[in-house]
Amino acid sequence: MNWYSIRTLVSKDVSLFFRNRFFAFTTVGALVAYIVIYLVMPSDVDETLRVGFVADQLPQEISEQLVEESLEIYYADSVTDLKDAILDAEITAGFAFPDGFQEALATNENPQVEVFFPADLPQEAKDIYVLLLKELSFLMVGQPLNIDVNEEILGEDLVGQQIPLRDRMLPMIAVFILIFETLGLANLLSGEIEARTLEALLITPLRVRELFTGKSITGIGMAFGQAFILVAITGGLNNQPLIIIIALILGALLATGVGFLLASTGKDLMGILAWGVLAILILILPAMGIIFPGTITNWVKLIPSYYLVDTLNRAFNYGIPLQLAATNLAILLAIDLIFLWLGITALRRKIA
Amino acid sequence: MVTPAIIADQLTYNYEKVKAVDHINFQVAKGEILSFLGPNGAGKTTTVKMLTGQLHPQEGKATLLGMDVVKETEKVQARIGVCFEITNLYEQMSAIENLNLFAKLFGVKDFDAEAALKRIGLDGRGKDRVETYSKGMKQRLMVARSLINKPDILFLDEPTEGLDPVSAETIRNIILEERARGATVFLTTHDMVEADKLSDRVAFIDQGEIAALDTPHNLKQKYGKRAIKVQVAGPDGKLVSKEIFLDEPGTADSMRELFSEEQVITLHSEEATLEDIFIQITGRGLAG
């Protein structure tokens, strides 16, 4: 291996990458945008549950009971005021009892209670509020449900220390940055094939293995560099930095392998974008599972980037030790090597 | 005996079912300029690719400077320069950056890019991006790039095709300077006049085979017809052209008759061109 030639090649590639205004802008601009978005998002989670009642309808003992249940109560002057509070997102549900509600309950008259919800409240939450209403009704007629509930939290109790949305998003953004880098690398390579500059390179003493080593270093360096800057600035290295750095390097290796494959399929930037967007959509799917837990199922483990996303999320947000991340990292390394081999093989065929 | 700079021994390459180069044999001496002449698709570029290690021959063997091109590709490529038919420069880099990049890859430590650009008439434009250059400027830069490692053998694939006269002349002068330095030059072209001017020997390649290989002079002697082209005044005062072939019986009588009976207005000797000879040998022209 002639490392001087490889270094020359890497330096040339990085220089050319940033001379392409589109990729230079999207690389730097996107990184800055991601960091700014992270920094302006709330750094904590508002765990307070606010519900509203029309003030003169709620007996004192009930309001005291609700406060004990960690609910914050909004007392509206009227039903209109209650509705406005919901529309202004001050409360997540509003209850309006009819006149003589308690008496009607006591005499089994089946009173009509109005419950108001904002339009975006999930059905599950609506159901819980209705259950709450029913329990309140028992309280109001002096017949509390005699059930002793024993609460047990499995794992660390995160009450008061919920993971803010921006921190949930961070692994996803890091994966976005890594995966999007495939386009830049693929374009760089495809451009060389199209302009036939690779022929000129390969007529020098530079060998094919040195060429691919150089391209791999460029790809890994560019992808890892950006992702590293992101996590370093956003405090992502405060928790398990070793695992996160290893995961980012392996993610960059995955991006490089995919970039090689893309370069072998597309003839120009448009061709690369066509295949690239498809690849990116698939690869970022597992990252969505972090933002919306429960929305994806086990089949997502078939997507190579799952092992990257999962590792980053668990290390960054839950601080898992290295031994728990080792399996994921080993699988990711194996996938990386397969993609790199596939990419190099496909590219060699194209160059030949 | 001095080892030839280039030995092509039964070189063969087919693109699927198309025969590109078919068992060709030739040698090029050190310091010689050999022109490979033929129409597009004749096999010129494929031959260059096999000689420079870009393609492995399917049959036969290429030896450069005593080294097997396939087995010792790296060593061979360190001592050759290649100017490609298609412009393949880094367009978003300047000329100086392009040259310095390849100087580093060739391991040339004391390379002077400014001097190289001056030699090809691009001094003052070295810091401009190549994408702003004309075709002629790019081609001259390609030639400069091929000279970075002071090659023992220089391969030039259609170096003057489509160029303005000034750029073409600059490149021709560089070819002669390189020969004077001691380099062997392998030139592919379909410009017969250029080949005639520059070459020590020319090879006609047609449909992957070498149809003829000799010095331009010998080829003309062997295949060309010497003639005199004459214009005489006709009966109504208009010019009439006549051609008298020198190597045919009765030429002397024809000449005497011409001068005694006609009013000769102009008289030129006419030598066969390489193109005439190419057509004569292959039965077709160079355009296709």
Side-chain angles (χ1 to χ4, degrees):
Chain A
M1 283 280 190
N2 183 339
W3 289 102
Y4 179 73
S5 293
I6 292 169
R7 199 178 70 192
T8 302
L9 206 59
V10 171
S11 163
K12 182 266 297 176
D13 282 341
V14 172
S15 165
L16 280 180
F17 183 91
F18 284 103
R19 286 180 198 200
N20 181 320
R21 285 181 190 169
F22 174 72
F23 283 110
F25 176 76
T26 51
T27 300
V28 178
L31 184 59
V32 171
Y34 288 142
I35 292 170
V36 169
I37 288 169
Y38 177 87
L39 294 177
V40 299
M41 285 180 78
S43 59
D44 53 12
V45 178
D46 184 0
E47 297 180 47
T48 315
L49 202 57
R50 292 187 185 85
V51 291
F53 297 89
V54 179
D56 58 356
Q57 296 174 342
L58 194 64
Q60 180 68 25
E61 63 273 21
I62 300 295
S63 69
E64 283 169 3
Q65 181 69 34
L66 290 173
V67 170
E68 268 180 39
E69 301 273 351
S70 301
L71 288 175
E72 191 171 289
I73 297 173
Y74 172 81
Y75 296 100
D77 296 333
S78 62
V79 172
T80 309
D81 183 26
L82 189 68
K83 286 179 181 175
D84 287 345
I86 289 175
L87 292 173
D88 294 342
E90 289 177 35
I91 55 176
T92 51
F95 301 90
F97 300 104
D99 290 337
F101 174 69
Q102 279 177 284
E103 294 76 15
L105 270 182
T107 54
N108 260 342
E109 284 181 27
N110 197 18
Q112 194 76 29
V113 180
E114 286 186 273
V115 187
F116 304 103
F117 298 121
D120 58 352
L121 194 72
Q123 185 59 46
E124 295 85 348
K126 289 176 189 167
D127 294 342
I128 289 168
Y129 281 121
V130 172
L131 280 174
L132 174 69
L133 171 69
K134 288 180 178 172
E135 191 182 334
L136 281 177
S137 305
F138 283 110
L139 274 173
M140 288 166 92
V141 293
Q143 294 179 344
L145 293 171
N146 288 322
I147 303 169
D148 288 330
V149 178
N150 181 31
E151 289 181 1
E152 185 182 350
I153 307 297
L154 301 177
E156 187 184 355
D157 187 354
L158 293 176
V159 168
Q161 47 175 334
Q162 290 289 330
I163 299 167
L165 183 61
R166 69 176 198 171
D167 289 340
R168 274 188 194 281
M169 281 177 65
L170 192 59
M172 184 185 79
I173 295 173
V175 171
F176 272 21
I177 286 178
L178 290 170
I179 299 301
F180 273 104
E181 202 50 44
T182 57
L183 288 182
L185 180 66
N187 181 61
L188 201 64
L189 270 163
S190 166
E192 290 236 43
I193 295 169
E194 199 62 14
R196 304 182 79 158
T197 44
L198 276 188
E199 284 179 39
L201 291 178
L202 291 173
I203 205 75
T204 69
L206 183 78
R207 298 300 89 208
V208 175
R209 63 178 180 277
E210 291 163 352
L211 175 81
F212 279 110
T213 305
K215 298 291 180 191
S216 300
I217 291 172
T218 304
I220 293 168
M222 298 284 289
F224 172 76
Q226 291 175 65
F228 182 81
I229 290 170
L230 173 83
V231 295
I233 291 178
T234 54
L237 293 175
N238 295 342
N239 223 354
Q240 299 294 358
L242 180 64
I243 297 175
I244 287 170
I245 288 172
I246 293 172
L248 291 181
I249 290 171
L250 292 178
L253 194 58
L254 176 68
T256 302
V258 175
F260 283 172
L261 266 179
L262 284 180
S264 71
T265 56
K267 281 192 171 179
D268 51 23
L269 180 59
M270 289 312 292
I272 286 168
L273 281 178
W275 285 105
V277 167
L278 179 67
I280 286 170
L281 279 176
I282 294 169
L283 290 172
I284 62 174
L285 266 180
M288 297 298 182
I290 297 172
I291 303 283
F292 309 109
T295 53
I296 51 177
T297 50
N298 267 344
W299 60 262
V300 86
K301 291 183 181 176
L302 295 173
I303 299 174
S305 54
Y306 166 82
Y307 301 94
L308 171 64
V309 175
D310 190 50
T311 308
L312 284 175
N313 181 42
R314 291 203 289 153
F316 179 64
N317 286 323
Y318 302 98
I320 57 161
L322 186 58
Q323 55 267 35
L324 286 182
T327 308
N328 263 6
L329 292 174
I331 294 171
L332 186 58
L333 176 63
I335 291 170
D336 285 354
L337 294 177
I338 291 169
F339 269 83
L340 206 59
W341 177 79
L342 284 174
I344 288 174
T345 306
L347 259 184
R348 283 187 87 130
R349 284 173 67 92
K350 185 160 186 177
I351 293 168
Chain B
M1 185 186 163
V2 179
T3 311
I6 303 172
I7 303 171
D9 179 17
Q10 297 289 318
L11 277 187
T12 302
Y13 199 91
N14 301 323
Y15 293 104
E16 294 183 356
K17 287 181 181 174
V18 180
K19 272 189 179 175
V21 176
D22 190 9
H23 298 91
I24 61 171
N25 298 291
F26 64 89
Q27 296 188 352
V28 187
K30 284 180 180 168
E32 184 182 9
I33 299 177
L34 175 76
S35 289
F36 235 47
L37 303 173
N40 293 332
K44 302 189 297 288
T45 300
T46 304
T47 304
V48 170
K49 286 188 171 181
M50 284 192 283
L51 292 174
T52 55
Q54 296 174 77
L55 279 180
H56 286 186
Q58 290 159 344
E59 283 182 54
K61 181 180 169 185
T63 308
L64 266 67
L65 305 163
M67 295 178 280
D68 186 322
V69 174
V70 173
K71 290 178 183 164
E72 297 177 272
T73 312
E74 196 172 340
K75 285 183 185 170
V76 168
Q77 288 179 342
R79 293 179 62 185
I80 65 173
V82 181
C83 179
F84 295 84
E85 183 183 5
I86 293 167
T87 307
N88 57 357
L89 296 158
Y90 287 101
E91 303 260 336
Q92 289 173 316
M93 288 164 57
S94 70
I96 289 176
E97 287 171 327
N98 265 279
L99 293 179
N100 282 336
L101 167 69
F102 282 85
K104 285 178 182 172
L105 293 175
F106 272 111
V108 180
K109 293 210 168 21
D110 55 350
F111 180 69
D112 184 349
E114 298 280 4
L117 289 173
K118 192 172 182 181
R119 188 179 176 196
I120 54 163
L122 286 179
D123 41 331
R125 295 292 307 271
K127 289 178 181 168
D128 296 345
R129 283 193 179 191
V130 173
E131 63 192 356
T132 65
Y133 283 15
S134 68
K135 185 181 178 186
M137 292 163 75
K138 287 178 185 174
Q139 193 63 34
R140 280 185 274 160
L141 182 58
M142 297 256 291
V143 171
R145 187 179 69 183
S146 68
L147 301 174
I148 283 173
N149 58 332
K150 294 189 175 69
D152 292 316
I153 304 175
L154 183 59
F155 290 90
L156 301 163
D157 197 355
E158 310 275 5
T160 58
E161 193 189 7
L163 294 192
D164 62 276
V166 175
S167 294
E169 194 55 30
T170 306
I171 290 173
R172 286 187 201 113
N173 287 337
I174 287 172
I175 292 171
L176 293 172
E177 285 168 18
E178 285 302 300
R179 195 258 300 271
R181 181 175 65 82
T184 304
V185 180
F186 188 94
L187 175 71
T188 73
T189 180
H190 50 239
D191 182 340
M192 296 288 181
V193 178
E194 178 175 274
D196 200 355
K197 270 190 194 173
L198 295 174
S199 316
D200 296 310
R201 288 189 302 153
V202 296
F204 291 150
I205 183 165
D206 184 41
Q207 295 178 318
E209 295 178 9
I210 292 181
L213 172 59
D214 211 331
T215 64
H217 178 74
N218 286 349
L219 286 170
K220 287 173 191 172
Q221 287 288 315
K222 191 173 175 183
Y223 297 102
K225 285 183 178 176
R226 294 182 300 145
I228 289 174
K229 196 169 188 180
V230 186
Q231 284 186 316
V232 296
D236 53 356
K238 287 185 178 173
L239 291 178
V240 177
S241 294
K242 291 187 174 182
E243 205 169 33
I244 299 169
F245 292 102
L246 297 179
D247 300 322
E248 290 181 356
T251 302
D253 293 340
S254 300
M255 291 292 284
R256 266 193 297 274
E257 196 177 300
L258 178 75
F259 282 101
S260 60
E261 295 178 11
E262 307 271 9
Q263 186 190 349
V264 176
I265 307 296
T266 64
L267 183 146
H268 301 283
S269 66
E270 204 177 57
E271 193 180 40
T273 65
L274 286 178
E275 182 149 16
D276 296 333
I277 297 165
F278 186 90
I279 293 168
Q280 194 183 330
I281 292 173
T282 64
R284 58 206 195 103
L286 286 163

